[in-house]
Amino acid sequence: MSSAVSTAPMVKAEAVHKSFGHVEVLKGIDLEVAPREVMCIIGPSGSGKSTFLRCINHLEQINAGRLWVDGHLVGYREKGGKLYELRDREVAAQRRDIGMVFQRFNLFPHMTALENVAEAPVQVKGVGKAAARERAAELLERVGLGDRVHNYPAQLSGGQQQRVAIARALAMEPKLMLFDEPTSALDPELVGEVLDVMRGLAADGMTMVVVTHEMGFAREVGDTLVFMDDGVVVEAGDPRQVLTDPRHQRTQAFLSKVL
C-alpha cells in the first residue's frame, strides 16, 4: 500500500443552498471532511442536518453552491463556468461510492439478512452471486450477526436490522459512509450495539459523516463536531472543546438542553 495519503478532502461543500419551495433549509454551508475523518453533525430538529447529508449523495439537489466527493462534483459537471446536471445513470454511478444508513432500516422484508446484503453488489456491480453471498456473510460477521444470516428482518430486533443495513451499505465498498441519525428509531438498550459497529468502522479508517443525537459517541469517536442551526453551520471544532466549552450562545443553549 502506498504511504502517500491524499490530502484532498473527501467531502467539500462550498456555499451550499437548498430550498423546498419558499423555505430555505440550507443557507450557505461550507464544510470539508478529510479522508478517514469522522465528522459528527448535531443540532435541533429542522436545522438542515439531514437535508445536507442527502445533498452529499444527491438524494436532494442543491439550488446553489458546489459539492464535491473525492474530487468529483456531485450531481453536475461544470463546463465553461456553467453547471450541467448529470444523467440519472451518472448520478447512480457516483452514488455507488457513497454508503448511506437511514433512521429506518429499509430492508427488503422478503429477503434474509444475507440476501439483503448481497443484493446490490449483484444487481448494481455485476458481482457473481456466490462471491456476493460470501462477502455478505463476512460483513454480517463483522457487524456481529454471523449467526443471523438466514433470518428475515421481521425476526431481528431494530438494532440487528440497523446492523444489517450497515453491512448492506458496506457491501458496495464505499469511500464514504453517511449516517442519518442511525440510532434514533431504536430502543435505548439497542443503541450501543449499532454505535459499536460504527466505532469499528471509524477505527478501520472509514470516512464518515454522522448526523446524531449521541453526544457520547460524538465526543469519543468524532474528529470534528459541527453544530448546525437554522440552515447554517454555527460552530465546528474538536468535539470535546465544542461540547465542554462552546463559543456560541446558540450552541450553549442547545447543549444545555441535551447534555
Side-chain angles (χ1 to χ4, degrees):
M1 219 167 91
S2 158
S3 59
V5 176
S6 163
T7 53
M10 180 60 78
V11 180
K12 182 178 167 76
E14 209 172 75
V16 168
H17 288 256
K18 172 67 187 173
S19 298
F20 294 104
H22 296 299
V23 180
E24 196 178 18
V25 180
L26 300 177
K27 302 174 181 176
I29 301 290
D30 294 292
L31 279 178
E32 284 192 8
V33 184
R36 304 175 73 88
E37 179 178 350
V38 178
M39 176 180 282
C40 294
I41 304 179
I42 61 170
S45 259
S47 57
K49 311 180 298 289
S50 295
T51 298
F52 176 63
L53 210 61
R54 293 169 68 86
C55 289
I56 294 175
N57 69 350
H58 208 60
L59 285 175
E60 298 291 355
Q61 296 176 0
I62 64 177
N63 300 117
R66 302 273 194 284
L67 251 173
W68 292 266
V69 170
D70 200 23
H72 300 283
L73 263 181
V74 174
Y76 300 91
R77 67 173 170 275
E78 194 162 2
K79 197 173 172 188
K82 273 193 167 155
L83 289 184
Y84 297 90
E85 189 150 1
L86 295 178
R87 291 193 289 273
D88 288 349
R89 202 177 66 222
E90 296 169 301
V91 171
Q94 283 189 336
R95 218 175 262 149
R96 278 181 212 172
D97 291 332
I98 305 171
M100 183 139 186
V101 178
F102 300 89
Q103 288 182 29
R104 297 280 164 198
F105 327 120
N106 302 329
L107 299 176
F108 295 116
H110 62 289
M111 289 184 179
T112 63
L114 188 79
E115 290 163 344
N116 264 286
V117 176
E119 179 74 359
V122 172
Q123 299 297 338
V124 179
K125 284 187 152 178
V127 175
K129 276 192 174 164
R133 289 173 76 89
E134 189 179 333
R135 175 80 176 130
E138 286 168 11
L139 287 167
L140 287 166
E141 184 70 46
R142 181 177 173 184
V143 300
L145 293 171
D147 58 342
R148 292 274 192 259
V149 291
H150 300 304
N151 288 49
Y152 289 90
Q155 300 169 311
L156 299 171
S157 72
Q160 289 168 334
Q161 289 186 60
Q162 190 62 296
R163 286 186 279 154
V164 174
I166 293 172
R168 179 182 58 184
L170 293 174
M172 292 295 285
E173 301 188 328
K175 303 171 183 175
L176 168 68
M177 285 282 282
L178 308 175
F179 292 88
D180 188 7
E181 300 190 15
T183 58
S184 65
L186 299 179
D187 293 331
E189 70 269 22
L190 302 177
V191 167
E193 62 193 46
V194 173
L195 294 180
D196 282 344
V197 170
M198 294 168 65
R199 280 187 192 93
L201 290 180
D204 291 344
M206 175 61 77
T207 310
M208 294 159 56
V209 183
V210 185
V211 171
T212 186
H213 295 295
E214 301 294 336
M215 301 301 161
F217 177 84
R219 179 188 285 115
E220 177 198 340
V221 182
D223 297 300
T224 310
L225 183 63
V226 172
F227 171 63
M228 281 180 67
D229 191 17
D230 197 26
V232 298
V233 172
V234 176
E235 186 160 351
D238 177 275
R240 285 155 291 281
Q241 187 271 317
V242 173
L243 289 170
T244 53
D245 188 22
R247 293 194 301 274
H248 289 264
Q249 210 170 351
R250 276 153 87 184
T251 321
Q252 291 164 9
F254 173 73
L255 290 173
S256 71
K257 292 190 186 89
V258 298
L259 287 180

